[in-house]
Amino acid sequence: MVDCYRPDNIDDNIIFTRITHDRDCSISMNYIDIFLESLAAEHGRSPKTLASYESDLRLADASIPGGLMAADGTSIQQYLSSLPDKATSISRKASALRGFYKFLMLEHKIQTNPTTNLELPRRARTLPKFLSIDEIELLISSAGDTRNSTRLRAMIELLYASGLRVSELCELPMTSILGDKLLIHGKGAKERLVPMHDTAISALNKWLSIRGDDASKYVFPSGGKTGHITRDGFFKILKKCAILSGISPDRVSPHVLRHSFASHLLAGGANLRAIQTMLGHEDISTTQIYTHVMPEKLHETVLHHPMATNKDSYK
């Protein structure tokens, strides 16, 4: 019996001229490899995402009778329904399968997409956590009482002013600074221009004036092997700031600052599409979750970012 789950069983010499239901398991495994290569080369998916997709697809290929290349909508539905995982995990596995079959359709390797009418368990909507404006001000002020306070203040200001992901902040190259804007290379190798208000610009410039280490390409360099401050390192410092400011550290994280950025902008009447662009969300539905935490009357206001003294910078 051939072990279809192990990648070392792949026969690279197989020529794929047609797909039949009496398939050799190596066929689907080779197409999984080709799909993953496409995600990496054309869509810039991270190694972590690729590893998750590979694990999900190989498990499905080994579990569905006949494998992925012979699967129909019923067998895929039965497979997903049999999983003991949480709804979020099942949704991720379904997303991997949808992407795989969409790829096969585009490559004309199959004529019918078996994932078209999948029914998945409903996920409970988790509303984003965010801090109040007063709490943000306390957090920023507390940065002055910590080591490397100028760097830390600049990082907090940038997170809250521009809604960056923590990885985008920590790995921010010097070449990303374009006057009052940042050129961000986000998920999927997509670029976006993110504005900074004058308070954030001032904090950034103050840091750059004492930064030193001109040889480093990173805005926030470090002596570690990555060459820049790490996500874990920044996370720990931010927790200390929370304690100093009297805020529960459980309520503070880089992502909470990103949520606060979006929530406060929306509360100030900023356009949802503009917020989507600044956050780097691929789908507007991801951004729309912030509408569920805003009182209806705030949607009608025309103010913008509460920490900006130059409101026009967000128009």
Side-chain angles (χ1 to χ4, degrees):
M1 178 177 178
V2 181
D3 180 2
C4 296
Y5 190 75
R6 294 181 56 195
D8 56 344
N9 287 317
I10 296 176
D11 182 356
D12 293 328
N13 295 319
I14 292 177
I15 300 176
F16 305 108
T17 56
R18 63 189 180 91
I19 299 171
T20 68
H21 289 289
D22 297 325
R23 119 286 189 221
D24 183 325
C25 67
S26 61
I27 294 179
S28 60
M29 294 190 70
N30 273 272
Y31 274 124
I32 290 173
D33 289 336
I34 296 170
F35 169 59
L36 294 173
E37 289 175 3
S38 172
L39 288 180
E42 298 177 20
H43 301 283
R45 293 291 190 256
S46 69
K48 183 177 180 181
T49 298
L50 294 174
S52 295
Y53 269 52
E54 179 176 16
S55 175
D56 291 342
L57 292 173
R58 296 206 189 286
L59 178 61
D61 186 54
S63 303
I64 297 174
L68 292 180
M69 303 309 294
D72 56 18
T74 300
S75 60
I76 293 177
Q77 185 71 65
Q78 290 175 344
Y79 163 68
L80 292 174
S81 299
S82 70
L83 294 173
D85 307 34
K86 294 181 180 179
T88 52
S89 180
I90 294 174
S91 294
R92 190 200 71 208
K93 288 179 169 62
S95 178
L97 288 166
R98 285 194 181 105
F100 177 66
Y101 285 114
K102 181 180 179 181
F103 169 77
L104 292 180
M105 290 287 289
L106 291 172
E107 294 294 315
H108 305 290
K109 302 303 178 185
I110 57 175
Q111 296 181 351
T112 303
N113 188 337
T115 62
T116 301
N117 298 312
L118 283 183
E119 294 183 7
L120 301 178
R122 291 184 177 272
R123 289 191 291 175
R125 180 178 289 272
T126 302
L127 296 180
K129 299 176 181 178
F130 61 96
L131 301 176
S132 69
I133 297 172
D134 289 340
E135 288 173 325
I136 291 289
E137 291 177 334
L138 280 172
L139 194 65
I140 293 174
S141 297
S142 71
D145 300 323
T146 65
R147 188 178 180 184
N148 294 323
S149 59
T150 303
R151 180 187 69 176
L152 179 58
R153 181 183 289 269
M155 296 186 79
I156 296 176
E157 289 277 13
L158 284 183
L159 270 184
Y160 180 55
S162 303
L164 303 182
R165 299 179 178 91
V166 63
S167 58
E168 295 169 347
L169 176 74
C170 292
E171 300 171 21
L172 190 68
M174 291 292 294
T175 53
S176 288
I177 303 174
L178 303 176
D180 61 351
K181 296 179 177 63
L182 296 174
L183 179 62
I184 304 301
H185 299 272
K187 287 185 175 180
K190 293 183 178 179
E191 293 183 347
R192 68 185 192 276
L193 271 176
V194 179
M196 296 182 288
H197 58 60
D198 50 357
T199 306
I201 294 171
S202 177
L204 177 59
N205 286 338
K206 187 174 180 180
W207 160 245
L208 293 177
S209 69
I210 64 171
R211 166 178 167 272
D213 196 3
D214 292 334
S216 176
K217 67 176 183 179
Y218 297 108
V219 175
F220 303 106
S222 169
K225 63 180 181 180
T226 63
H228 57 75
I229 187 170
T230 64
R231 296 168 44 151
D232 289 344
F234 177 60
F235 187 90
K236 291 175 182 177
I237 299 172
L238 196 59
K239 292 290 185 182
K240 291 180 181 178
C241 274
I243 295 172
L244 289 171
S245 60
I247 304 171
S248 170
D250 294 337
R251 296 183 55 228
V252 178
S253 72
H255 214 63
V256 166
L257 290 180
R258 178 171 157 90
H259 286 324
S260 300
F261 159 83
S263 300
H264 294 168
L265 273 180
L266 186 60
N271 182 278
L272 196 64
R273 286 287 183 185
I275 296 175
Q276 176 193 1
T277 299
M278 286 187 281
L279 289 174
H281 286 163
E282 187 171 349
D283 195 320
I284 188 66
S285 63
T286 308
T287 316
Q288 284 173 336
I289 190 171
Y290 294 105
T291 64
H292 294 274
V293 298
M294 295 292 105
E296 186 63 31
K297 64 180 181 180
L298 290 178
H299 293 176
E300 302 172 2
T301 62
V302 293
L303 297 176
H304 288 285
H305 199 290
M307 296 296 287
T309 57
N310 180 9
K311 307 290 185 179
D312 292 335
S313 64
Y314 283 93
K315 292 182 180 179

